[in-house]
Amino acid sequence: AQKITQTQPGMFVQEKEAVTLDCTYDTSDPSYGLFWYKQPSSGEMIFLIYQGSYDQQNATEGRYSLNFQKARKSANLVISASQLGDSAMYFCAMRETGFQKLVFGTGTRLLVSP
Amino acid sequence: NAGVTQTPKFQVLKTGQSMTLQCAQDMNHNSMYWYRQDPGMGLRLIYYSASEGTTDKGEVPNGYNVSRLNKREFSLRLESAAPSQTSVYFCASKGLSLLEKLFFGSGTQLSVL
């Protein structure tokens, strides 16, 4: 069964606008962590933001925030005030407690236009 | 800070050839991982090592072997390369906490002809 689902293969946004990248997950473990990574065209994997399943508040890191809806099992990434440098692949990932493995979604390619 | 270092960055093999991808981390991390990335499929776990002396299969282990040489180093070996193993390979590591992020190497682009 797919643990992490990213249904948007590609997204387009204009500079300075906000964009939401969708991520849903599947787990029966009450304790888990959710991660978002950015992969620019240069290829490196850049950690953006983390949300723990017991965290009471949505995680924020600068222009990145995670819209965590536990009942819906969704962990959408919100990028505010998009910049040209935000053009990249974005991956959602999950780790369940007791497992050392981080499972990734298939990614969303974001293109920011001037 | 070097972080996670992978070598080589690029490699072209012929079908049937063997090679070893090297990975080393200098963050004193316990856990190390090998992923492969293919278009439209995200990153898929090949093998991982939760601690020195242990290795476990991930989602796509067939055709690969690994060695956790010491705490710093985790190598991935292709004994008889196949075109289906053409991919970008990432090594990663993380510390003790289960909910800690992964630190990634810069990747190895492998083509098998």
Side-chain angles (χ1 to χ4, degrees):
Chain A
Q2 189 78 3
K3 291 278 189 178
I4 294 283
T5 303
Q6 295 181 255
T7 58
Q8 306 156 313
M11 289 286 285
F12 295 89
V13 67
Q14 278 204 307
E15 205 176 1
K16 299 179 185 177
E17 291 184 348
V19 62
T20 297
L21 306 184
D22 294 342
C23 174
T24 58
Y25 59 92
D26 181 26
T27 182
S28 56
D29 189 340
S31 178
Y32 50 89
L34 297 155
F35 303 77
W36 277 92
Y37 281 83
K38 172 184 178 182
Q39 186 180 42
S41 57
S42 53
E44 72 264 37
M45 295 290 288
I46 301 168
F47 168 76
L48 294 179
I49 197 166
Y50 162 79
Q51 178 86 41
S53 59
Y54 290 122
D55 293 344
Q56 294 296 311
Q57 298 197 347
N58 288 343
T60 60
E61 291 285 348
R63 293 186 299 111
Y64 304 108
S65 61
L66 203 152
N67 184 2
F68 182 46
Q69 298 188 45
K70 198 169 182 177
R72 290 186 169 191
K73 294 187 176 178
S74 74
N76 298 338
L77 178 70
V78 180
I79 305 175
S80 63
S82 297
Q83 300 172 356
L84 296 178
D86 293 334
S87 294
M89 281 289 287
Y90 289 82
F91 292 99
C92 180
M94 178 179 70
R95 181 184 300 120
E96 296 162 306
T97 305
F99 293 94
Q100 289 286 344
K101 301 177 286 188
L102 195 64
V103 178
F104 285 81
T106 53
T108 296
R109 182 171 296 281
L110 176 66
L111 184 60
V112 181
S113 60
Chain B
N1 289 337
V4 180
T5 304
Q6 279 182 245
T7 55
K9 291 192 182 304
F10 301 95
Q11 184 71 48
V12 178
L13 293 177
K14 294 181 180 178
T15 298
Q17 287 185 318
S18 62
M19 78 160 296
T20 299
L21 279 65
Q22 306 286 354
C23 176
Q25 52 89 10
D26 62 1
M27 295 173 282
N28 201 35
H29 284 167
N30 286 320
S31 304
M32 298 186 73
Y33 305 81
W34 278 105
Y35 286 89
R36 59 176 288 174
Q37 181 180 16
D38 303 291
M41 304 195 75
L43 279 79
R44 292 181 294 168
L45 184 64
I46 305 171
Y47 270 95
Y48 67 103
S49 171
S51 61
E52 187 178 355
T54 68
T55 60
D56 286 285
K57 296 178 180 179
E59 299 172 70
V60 288
N62 291 346
Y64 305 95
N65 285 302
V66 290
S67 295
R68 184 74 183 267
L69 304 168
N70 48 54
K71 193 171 185 179
R72 290 187 64 247
E73 298 172 289
F74 188 40
S75 62
L76 178 72
R77 183 161 178 83
L78 286 70
E79 290 290 352
S80 178
S84 61
Q85 294 178 305
T86 293
S87 188
V88 178
Y89 291 84
F90 285 97
C91 178
S93 72
K94 77 167 193 69
L96 271 176
S97 169
L98 282 173
L99 302 181
E100 194 172 321
K101 69 182 181 185
L102 291 185
F103 291 81
F104 283 87
S106 57
T108 296
Q109 194 161 327
L110 175 67
S111 295
V112 183
L113 306 177

